[in-house]
Amino acid sequence: MRSIHRKRVIISLLPMLIMLTAVYIIPLVNVTANAFIGFTGSTKGQFVALGNFAKIAKSIPKTLEITLTWTYGSVLSATFFGLVLALLCHHAFPLRKAVISISLLPYSIPLIIVASCWRFTLSQDFGIINVFLLQLGIIDKPIAFLNLQNALGSVIVARIWRATPFAFINFYAALTAIPNELYEASAIDGAKPYQTLLHITLPSLRKVMSTTLIVLTVWTFLVFDIIYGMTGGGPVSATRIISIQIFREMFHMKDLGTASAWSLTAIIVLLLTTVLYWKLMEGRNKE
């Protein structure tokens, strides 16, 4: 009977295993193999060992710095704003439902449209923000939000705007699941609002926070649309994150080998980041 049951379990899991193999395992093996093969245009070359990694070695430190700045600048800020917004909306006040609906609106807009809207908004010549600041007399001349010095900060702001609703809805849902009895007991004990926040609310949100951080980190690390739509990876290389490098090597330089090397580098960094997150969260949960 046990053998029959095991066979049924295996058969039931077979479609999922096939799908995972087709969607994840085969492409991963293919990328790993291509990272060690030389390509000339569309022609596949020979095994080059670490040759492709040697080609991109000089660019890796700067690209990783830009990528990590973009990722953590966006993720940490979006998580913070999402948490604050969820805490505010957890309490009853007039037009709360309208505020919740408006807060979720950015998440319903495709990334490439987000990029187009923010590029228009931040335009030096006719951008809404520059026009508004000039009309108020706050600035004397338009600000070049997308120049070499400001481009990275500008795309981070656009990503924060797009990612905050995801963090907000996660925290808001988790807040509604916290038993009211805990808050009632703390009120009876004379706990102040900040004590309730520190000892009841935030500890109850740890698991949701870890999941939100991991998901947003992976998504943001690999986001292509916002940066490509706003700056194209420029000016120069100011916003050239790893996903832009992969696109550039693949479609501009026509080098599948170096594009695969960049992809493998991204996978390794994401794995290390995810493991680090889980270790930190496990350590806090044990405290």
Side-chain angles (χ1 to χ4, degrees):
M1 290 296 291
R2 288 185 178 179
S3 60
I4 295 174
H5 179 69
R6 287 177 181 174
K7 288 180 180 179
R8 288 178 178 176
V9 171
I10 293 172
I11 292 172
S12 65
L13 293 176
L14 194 58
M16 183 184 68
L17 293 174
I18 293 173
M19 183 185 70
L20 289 174
T21 300
V23 176
Y24 293 105
I25 297 176
I26 293 177
L28 180 60
V29 171
N30 194 32
V31 166
T32 304
N34 289 335
F36 299 96
I37 296 176
F39 288 83
T40 305
S42 59
T43 305
K44 185 175 180 179
Q46 298 179 342
F47 176 73
V48 293
L50 298 177
N52 290 324
F53 291 94
K55 288 182 182 179
I56 68 173
K58 291 183 179 179
S59 302
I60 286 179
K62 184 63 177 177
T63 303
L64 274 180
E65 179 187 346
I66 295 171
T67 304
L68 293 176
T69 302
W70 148 262
T71 301
Y72 290 108
S74 304
V75 170
L76 296 178
S77 300
T79 302
F80 173 76
F81 289 129
L83 176 60
V84 171
L85 192 57
L87 290 172
L88 292 174
C89 291
H90 186 54
H91 301 285
F93 61 87
L95 301 177
R96 183 178 67 165
K97 291 184 179 180
V99 171
I100 293 174
S101 300
I102 294 171
S103 300
L104 295 175
L105 184 62
Y107 198 63
S108 65
I109 304 175
L111 289 174
I112 193 64
I113 297 179
V114 170
S116 300
C117 291
W118 275 96
R119 184 172 183 176
F120 175 80
T121 301
L122 298 174
S123 171
Q124 183 176 359
D125 300 321
F126 48 79
I128 297 172
I129 294 179
N130 271 317
V131 171
F132 182 71
L133 294 176
L134 286 169
Q135 289 291 332
L136 291 178
I138 297 175
I139 57 175
D140 298 324
K141 59 180 180 179
I143 301 173
F145 287 106
L146 299 177
N147 66 1
L148 184 63
Q149 290 75 28
N150 301 325
L152 185 57
S154 297
V155 295
I156 287 175
V157 169
R159 178 56 184 164
I160 292 171
W161 184 80
R162 178 58 165 72
T164 296
F166 176 79
F168 162 66
I169 197 62
N170 284 347
F171 290 128
Y172 184 74
L175 285 170
T176 59
I178 299 175
N180 288 327
E181 290 80 4
L182 295 176
Y183 293 109
E184 292 171 359
S186 67
I188 293 171
D189 292 337
K192 296 180 180 180
Y194 76 90
Q195 292 174 323
T196 303
L197 175 66
L198 293 176
H199 299 291
I200 296 177
T201 305
L202 293 181
S204 300
L205 297 177
R206 279 182 179 176
K207 291 183 179 180
V208 174
M209 185 174 291
S210 63
T211 304
T212 301
L213 285 171
I214 290 173
V215 173
L216 279 180
T217 298
V218 173
W219 285 354
T220 305
F221 192 91
L222 299 175
V223 160
F224 172 82
D225 315 56
I226 289 180
I227 290 182
Y228 188 76
M230 288 183 68
T231 65
V236 190
S237 60
T239 59
R240 192 179 293 172
I241 62 173
I242 286 184
S243 59
I244 297 292
Q245 282 283 18
I246 295 170
F247 177 84
R248 181 173 174 271
E249 293 293 334
M250 184 67 199
F251 296 102
H252 291 184
M253 308 304 293
K254 308 295 183 182
D255 193 334
L256 179 58
T258 52
S260 299
W262 276 113
S263 299
L264 201 57
T265 302
I267 291 170
I268 292 170
V269 173
L270 280 176
L271 284 175
L272 293 174
T273 302
T274 303
V275 170
L276 180 61
Y277 269 140
W278 282 120
K279 292 294 183 182
L280 289 174
M281 290 303 167
E282 284 179 2
R284 288 186 177 181
N285 289 332
K286 290 177 181 179
E287 293 177 357

